[in-house]
Amino acid sequence: MKKYITMLIGMVMPFCFYGCSDDVPSNPYKEYDLPIDCKGLNIEMGKAILIQNESDFNALFSSYQNLPPVDFDQSTLLLVKGESPNGIQSIAKDVQTDNGRVRVNITIFKNYTCVMEKWVLGYILPKVKEEQIKLDINYQF
């Protein structure tokens, strides 16, 4: 019996370290941490807003302190704002590339409270142009 356990461990052990390889490419899309009170940002709702440079960033976020820096030489800050007709239970976010386009899928899972609730999300992307962004926003119970 001891022989079989040793053999089984020898067969399974390599798979335990398979996912720990440094060769796996990292996701080029990172969620940008926005302050909780950023829901009042003056940007259009339901549209992908791209911030491409430091001056536009500073103009938009002038009243916010200590925001994480963005390297605008290599990155674009994507902002999306919306308003749920109900309270928000959770938000599922997914960013993918498809033939040179960036697809942003946002699903707002509503609860049954009768309060309209604003939301805003930010992503740091490799440099992109507005025509490369495809935004899908869905609201579900």
Side-chain angles (χ1 to χ4, degrees):
M1 182 71 166
K2 190 174 185 181
K3 179 180 173 181
Y4 292 114
I5 291 174
T6 305
M7 189 172 77
L8 183 61
I9 290 173
M11 290 171 41
V12 172
M13 198 63 144
F15 293 106
C16 294
F17 297 105
Y18 180 73
C20 299
S21 170
D22 289 339
D23 298 335
V24 178
S26 63
N27 186 350
Y29 313 109
K30 294 187 295 189
E31 195 163 347
Y32 185 74
D33 291 326
L34 292 166
I36 193 82
D37 60 344
C38 245
K39 295 176 185 176
L41 277 178
N42 189 21
I43 59 174
E44 190 174 341
M45 288 205 192
K47 184 178 178 191
I49 306 299
L50 300 180
I51 308 298
Q52 301 281 13
N53 57 58
E54 194 77 32
S55 62
D56 290 345
F57 178 86
N58 290 336
L60 184 61
F61 291 104
S62 62
S63 60
Y64 299 95
Q65 300 291 323
N66 302 321
L67 290 175
V70 178
D71 179 6
F72 288 107
D73 291 334
Q74 298 179 21
S75 304
T76 297
L77 177 60
L78 166 75
L79 298 173
V80 182
K81 179 180 175 181
E83 187 170 49
S84 173
N86 295 84
I88 297 173
Q89 179 177 333
S90 63
I91 300 175
K93 306 155 279 218
D94 182 40
V95 180
Q96 302 173 357
T97 56
D98 182 27
N99 295 329
R101 296 181 61 82
V102 178
R103 182 179 204 100
V104 180
N105 298 307
I106 300 171
T107 303
I108 309 297
F109 292 98
K110 305 180 289 182
N111 58 33
Y112 290 98
T113 60
C114 295
V115 60
M116 294 184 80
E117 192 170 344
K118 291 182 182 179
W119 55 269
V120 63
L121 298 173
Y123 272 96
I124 297 176
L125 312 172
K127 276 291 191 191
V128 293
K129 297 178 182 163
E130 192 171 336
E131 58 270 9
Q132 292 175 275
I133 302 289
K134 171 76 169 102
L135 176 64
D136 290 318
I137 302 173
N138 298 298
Y139 291 89
Q140 297 180 16
F141 276 106

